[in-house]
Amino acid sequence: MMMKDCKNYCLALFGIIATAACSLKEQQEPVPYYMARSFPDLALTWDEGIPLGNAMLGALVWQKDGKLRLSLDRADLWDLRSMENLNFEKYDFDWVVNRWNSNEYGEVQRQFDLPYDTLAGPSKIPGAALEFDIAALGEVEKVKLDLKKAICTVKWKSGVILRTFVHATEPVGWYQFENLKTPISPTIVPPPYVGGSDAGVDNPVTGQDLRRLGYPAGALSRGDNNMTYEQEGWDGFRFEVNTRWTETANQLQGSWSISSAKNGREDNAKATQVTTTALEKGMENYQNSHLNWWEDFWSQSAILLPDSLLQNQYYMEMYKLGAAARQGAPPISLQSVWTADNGKLPPWKGDFHHDLNTQLSYWPTYTGNHLALEQGFIDWLNQHKPTFKKYTSAYFETEGLNVPGVTTLEGDPMGGWIQYAFGPTVSAWLGHHFYLHWRYSMDREFLENEAYPWIREVAIFLDEISIMDANGNRKLPLSSSPEIHNNEARAWFDQMSNYDLALVRWTFTAAAELAKELDLTKEAEEWANTLNEWPEYAIDETGLMVAPGEPLRESHRHFSQIMAIHPLGLIDIRDGDADKEIIENTISHLDELGSSGWTGYSFAWLGNLKARAGDGEGAAKALQDFASSFVLPNSFHVNGDQSGTGKSNFTYRPFTLEGNFAFAAGIQEMLIQSHTGLVRLFPAIPADWQDISFSSLRTQGAFLVSATWVNGNVDRVEITAEKGGTLRMENPFEKAAFTAGKAYQLDGSIIQIQLNEAEQVTLTRQNEAD
């Protein structure tokens, strides 16, 4: 292909990707290869089912014992029994410190760690399943998930077709069988909360038996073309599952819903009401609004890569993001709306882990231009702030704000390995999301009312809990580094771990920056002065250590010691030779130790880390390893190595989502970076990637950027200033001449353009032929 032809080809692709006004209803098959997934048959396990969802309701489409099965879930189905062992009046942080200093840490493990492992609740719980006897339908021809429309289609060789989806915003799911030659009807199958004689204890990683929850049997009732399942849970909690359908000579069309209630109080419309209304309005009416939402979702941003493995995986991750995150719904938990359908509780009780899992899950919302979805996480954190402050006061006996590292739906602590479940810097990492939301949105009201108040409260807490060491530096009474040394006594350090220190230093840096932005000069000075009282990072020839005197000595899944590099950006590859050396040594040491102790999310995080360091080949390789070895056919991240190639000693398959979303962020990090306030295009691209494009990726400063990379060079850049301001961008054209649609300043390699709100500008490479 000649250069000019390649340029036109990429621009055409760019135009296709960037077109936001294209109606999905008018779109003809075939769709782009990366927007659909096809399978030769229905999956035979729940965790390989086709995922559908809207962040509140979810479904998995698969086959069990010869029946087509829709595993149904709702995000607020929770057993919220209290953890009676969490008696902070008697067992607080001071008690932990004293037990650790007295070499009696076994008491702490028995008090806080063991109950999480042995008690069934609190926990996320499953809803139910819909089953259809498909024996008469014959052999399946194809199963397809249309990502663009969020619709799953199953085709049988007999001509029967099933179309099913979970509505994008309404609490209802739909199914429609066409070309039926014999009648078919749904049956609700309750989870096995009762039955059998020995529930066992099991392991929270693989899931404990549902019977250990002690629920009474649910009530099943069938009427004319409808069926209802009602289940009583813990302490007055109840939920209802209903499906309702219509039949013709050759078609079955039905809707389903799940509703929940606490102590007789209905917080949402009952499932029976939802399905009744749905059938009255009709599936077509719901499908139109469903398609419109997903059309808008996909119009927010797009990418086109020459690597089909990474391209495919990226779109699956963004699809799952659209299915799992929403303002008005709970945040993304470990499995979101796809709770295990295997007779057990979900891995790690399906809870909210804030020592990595929730944080990584929202990484792709910023550059991916999906701040509205991330807002649901922010809202939940703000909603439960009183609960978090109560925990902070009771356990740490301070003012300010910290958050339990493992929480229920309502933000209450659940215990577990308390170095992380009760870690002192959890709220600091969560505060990073408030900061990123501000920087990527430039929403002044959000800065004033949400971002700075959260970070200020965290800074107050860290200031109060800190003590002075022998060298006159501040430190935490005990520090840790997730999940180094697991939950052993030696997982605590009497000096600052680099994990905790990076989060502390970031908090006071951000507090000073935001206070200054709000003209709170005195507060800004106080935070800056406090920052100077904390020590520097522990560094040796291996780069960032775990803690002073504690280099990383073995392959480990959690890169907690590198927080200052990524995601916090306190140490950057372009900030001078000293920082560059730290980063290079740190990454080199990770590579030398190898990946035997890693899980899937480690590879996704490494992709981000190497992209941040400008290593395109390394970033692509890490993300390729993730996509090829740590996901199931339906794209779910299952922690362990499924490839049999020895990439990790972990070969188990507990499904969690954070690795999926960290992967998507890693792709974005390869294409565009703005964490230093300077926009860099294609900062980490493998040498053999010749043609790339992306549309409407968001940068800090609230700029939307689209760009094409043709024959190994940036060809065209389009920028929209959502809020207005000065764009600072590293010259993507390097020494080549370019034209710009507006006056600009070129200071060395930095392009500066002043843009008004909503103003757009295009920069284009000038080729010799032009």
Side-chain angles (χ1 to χ4, degrees):
M1 184 181 290
M2 298 298 291
M3 184 171 183
K4 191 169 185 179
D5 292 336
C6 183
K7 172 182 175 181
N8 291 337
Y9 173 70
C10 280
L11 287 175
L13 287 173
F14 180 92
I16 291 171
I17 292 174
T19 299
C22 174
S23 170
L24 288 175
K25 294 183 286 294
E26 298 172 356
Q27 196 175 50
Q28 301 297 313
E29 300 286 359
V31 298
Y33 77 91
Y34 50 85
M35 292 301 291
R37 294 292 178 275
S38 293
F39 305 89
D41 208 341
L42 289 161
L44 298 179
T45 61
W46 72 272
D47 55 5
E48 294 187 19
I50 300 296
L52 304 168
N54 64 10
M56 183 57 81
L57 291 188
L60 293 166
V61 185
W62 59 295
Q63 180 176 322
K64 181 178 181 181
D65 298 332
K67 295 181 174 62
L68 185 137
R69 188 174 176 100
L70 302 182
S71 300
L72 311 184
D73 193 17
R74 183 180 166 96
D76 62 359
L77 299 186
W78 262 82
D79 183 304
L80 289 171
R81 68 188 72 190
S82 61
M83 297 287 290
E84 295 180 0
N85 62 301
L86 303 185
N87 179 2
F88 294 146
E89 290 185 5
K90 184 175 182 180
Y91 305 107
D92 59 10
F93 188 50
D94 283 343
W95 176 80
V96 172
V97 174
N98 290 333
R99 296 283 75 71
W100 186 82
N101 284 326
S102 302
N103 293 319
E104 297 173 336
Y105 197 70
E107 293 184 35
V108 178
Q109 293 169 321
R110 288 188 292 273
Q111 184 64 36
F112 290 135
D113 300 0
L114 189 61
Y116 179 87
D117 292 339
T118 56
L119 298 177
S123 176
K124 177 73 178 69
I125 58 174
L130 287 180
E131 284 194 345
F132 302 84
D133 189 343
I134 57 174
L137 304 187
E139 188 177 349
V140 170
E141 177 181 332
K142 183 172 66 172
V143 180
K144 176 184 173 184
L145 173 60
D146 186 329
L147 305 185
K148 209 167 188 66
K149 300 177 182 179
I151 294 176
C152 174
T153 302
V154 183
K155 293 184 179 180
W156 283 263
K157 292 182 178 179
S158 62
V160 175
I161 298 174
L162 164 67
R163 292 186 176 88
T164 181
F165 65 95
V166 173
H167 192 276
T169 58
E170 299 294 329
V172 63
W174 287 90
Y175 52 88
Q176 178 172 285
F177 287 86
E178 303 170 8
N179 305 325
L180 289 170
K181 297 177 177 59
T182 56
I184 189 172
S185 61
T187 298
I188 295 179
V189 181
Y193 288 121
V194 295
S197 58
D198 182 14
V201 175
D202 294 323
N203 187 312
V205 176
T206 57
Q208 298 184 36
D209 194 297
L210 290 175
R211 291 171 292 171
R212 298 195 64 243
L213 294 170
Y215 295 169
L220 276 171
S221 59
R222 181 182 283 269
D224 294 335
N225 289 10
N226 71 87
M227 191 171 184
T228 303
Y229 161 54
E230 297 175 275
Q231 178 66 55
E232 179 182 347
W234 180 262
D235 192 29
F237 176 75
R238 303 181 67 87
F239 67 91
E240 177 183 274
V241 183
N242 177 263
T243 184
R244 193 175 303 272
W245 61 90
T246 60
E247 297 175 276
T248 62
N250 63 356
Q251 178 177 287
L252 171 75
Q253 183 181 106
S255 64
W256 63 268
S257 185
I258 306 178
S259 59
S260 60
K262 174 73 171 176
N263 293 321
R265 187 186 76 244
E266 297 285 347
D267 292 330
N268 41 80
K270 293 193 70 173
T272 50
Q273 297 170 338
V274 171
T275 58
T276 299
T277 301
L279 279 186
E280 289 173 353
K281 292 183 178 180
M283 179 174 167
E284 183 177 357
N285 182 293
Y286 278 79
Q287 182 169 297
N288 288 340
S289 57
H290 168 79
L291 294 177
N292 288 338
W293 188 92
W294 279 97
E295 176 184 0
D296 180 68
F297 172 82
W298 290 117
S299 73
Q300 298 304 304
S301 65
I303 69 166
L304 189 63
L305 305 177
D307 185 313
S308 60
L309 174 65
L310 299 185
Q311 177 84 10
N312 273 318
Q313 192 70 31
Y314 179 81
Y315 271 88
M316 278 301 302
E317 310 307 17
M318 297 308 289
Y319 164 76
K320 292 198 294 293
L321 179 68
R326 200 78 84 250
Q327 190 168 14
I332 300 170
S333 60
L334 294 180
Q335 293 85 27
S336 186
V337 288
W338 302 299
T339 299
D341 182 11
N342 60 356
K344 295 184 176 184
L345 296 174
W348 294 284
K349 305 184 180 183
D351 56 33
F352 299 91
H353 270 49
H354 305 297
D355 75 335
L356 175 146
N357 303 77
T358 54
Q359 289 92 334
L360 271 61
S361 292
Y362 287 92
W363 278 359
T365 61
Y366 304 103
T367 301
N369 195 25
H370 289 291
L371 296 184
L373 301 188
E374 182 261 359
Q375 184 67 53
F377 187 32
I378 296 290
D379 291 347
W380 183 84
L381 290 169
N382 280 325
Q383 176 188 355
H384 295 292
K385 205 170 180 179
T387 299
F388 304 148
K389 289 180 71 68
K390 178 182 177 182
Y391 155 76
T392 305
S393 176
Y395 181 66
F396 292 103
E397 298 184 291
T398 67
E399 296 297 319
L401 177 67
N402 197 19
V403 176
V406 180
T407 69
T408 68
L409 174 70
E410 295 185 349
D412 291 309
M414 293 176 61
W417 296 356
I418 67 159
Q419 292 89 340
Y420 331 114
F422 298 159
T425 55
V426 174
S427 59
W429 195 348
L430 294 170
H432 191 232
H433 287 277
F434 284 84
Y435 178 82
L436 291 177
H437 190 96
W438 148 245
R439 288 295 301 150
Y440 279 86
S441 70
M442 300 306 289
D443 182 335
R444 190 81 181 179
E445 184 176 341
F446 177 82
L447 166 65
E448 185 173 352
N449 296 330
E450 299 184 53
Y452 181 62
W454 180 280
I455 293 171
R456 180 180 181 275
E457 290 274 1
V458 176
I460 290 172
F461 164 71
L462 292 173
D463 184 51
E464 286 201 14
I465 197 176
S466 65
I467 59 177
M468 304 303 289
D469 66 16
N471 297 318
N473 291 319
R474 287 185 183 270
K475 70 170 188 174
L476 299 173
L478 287 178
S479 183
S480 68
S481 189
E483 295 164 344
I484 301 296
H485 304 315
N486 298 327
N487 67 329
E488 301 172 40
R490 64 187 180 124
W492 287 115
F493 301 97
D494 60 359
Q495 296 297 313
M496 290 293 290
S497 71
N498 275 336
Y499 169 82
D500 281 336
L501 182 59
L503 287 166
V504 168
R505 294 189 64 84
W506 177 85
T507 295
F508 288 107
T509 300
E513 175 190 330
L514 301 191
K516 183 178 180 181
E517 180 71 26
L518 292 170
D519 294 324
L520 301 172
T521 305
K522 184 177 180 181
E523 287 190 32
E525 291 176 353
E526 290 175 353
W527 300 135
N529 290 336
T530 304
L531 171 64
N532 292 329
E533 296 175 351
W534 292 84
E536 296 299 322
Y537 304 108
I539 299 168
D540 68 1
E541 66 277 5
T542 67
L544 286 171
M545 305 167 71
V546 174
E550 179 88 9
L552 184 66
R553 294 187 172 93
E554 59 186 6
S555 178
H556 193 277
R557 60 193 173 274
H558 198 307
F559 301 157
S560 47
Q561 73 281 359
I562 63 96
M563 289 286 293
I565 303 173
H566 183 278
L568 301 179
L570 297 171
I571 300 174
D572 189 73
I573 196 77
R574 298 172 181 85
D575 282 349
D577 291 342
D579 280 7
K580 183 179 180 182
E581 182 179 6
I582 293 170
I583 293 171
E584 290 176 346
N585 289 345
T586 300
I587 294 177
S588 177
H589 188 58
L590 287 176
D591 289 340
E592 289 172 5
L593 290 174
S595 59
S596 62
W598 296 4
T599 57
Y601 72 71
S602 313
F603 289 86
W605 194 349
L606 182 68
N608 284 267
L609 178 62
K610 291 202 169 187
R612 184 66 64 90
D615 179 4
E617 279 77 11
K621 177 61 166 59
L623 298 177
Q624 289 162 352
D625 286 343
F626 173 86
S628 64
S629 301
F630 292 86
V631 298
L632 297 178
N634 65 350
S635 82
F636 279 172
H637 161 239
V638 287
N639 283 266
D641 181 3
Q642 306 301 301
S643 69
T645 57
K647 291 183 174 66
S648 172
N649 290 339
F650 290 103
T651 58
Y652 59 0
R653 53 185 285 169
F655 155 50
T656 59
L657 281 162
E658 74 294 321
N660 290 120
F661 299 129
F663 170 94
I667 295 294
Q668 296 166 1
E669 196 78 22
M670 295 174 69
L671 298 177
I672 189 169
Q673 296 176 16
S674 62
H675 58 280
T676 63
L678 180 68
V679 176
R680 295 183 175 91
L681 304 182
F682 306 105
I685 299 301
D688 60 349
W689 285 18
Q690 293 297 296
D691 300 310
I692 317 165
S693 62
F694 65 79
S695 134
S696 298
L697 294 184
R698 180 178 286 268
T699 73
Q700 294 196 19
F703 298 99
L704 298 178
V705 181
S706 304
T708 54
W709 173 280
V710 180
N711 285 347
N713 293 295
V714 175
D715 189 74
R716 176 185 175 93
V717 183
E718 295 180 2
I719 301 159
T720 301
E722 190 173 80
K723 297 292 186 179
T726 301
L727 172 79
R728 297 181 69 251
M729 180 172 64
E730 192 170 73
N731 183 0
F733 305 104
E734 297 178 334
K735 295 181 180 180
F738 66 92
T739 60
K742 185 175 183 178
Y744 62 89
Q745 292 181 338
L746 186 59
D747 182 8
S749 63
I750 309 301
I751 297 172
Q752 292 193 104
I753 307 177
Q754 184 65 39
L755 297 170
N756 298 319
E757 183 176 340
E759 187 176 7
Q760 297 180 333
V761 64
T762 300
L763 293 78
T764 307
R765 173 184 291 270
Q766 285 187 304
N767 296 307
E768 292 181 5
D770 297 336

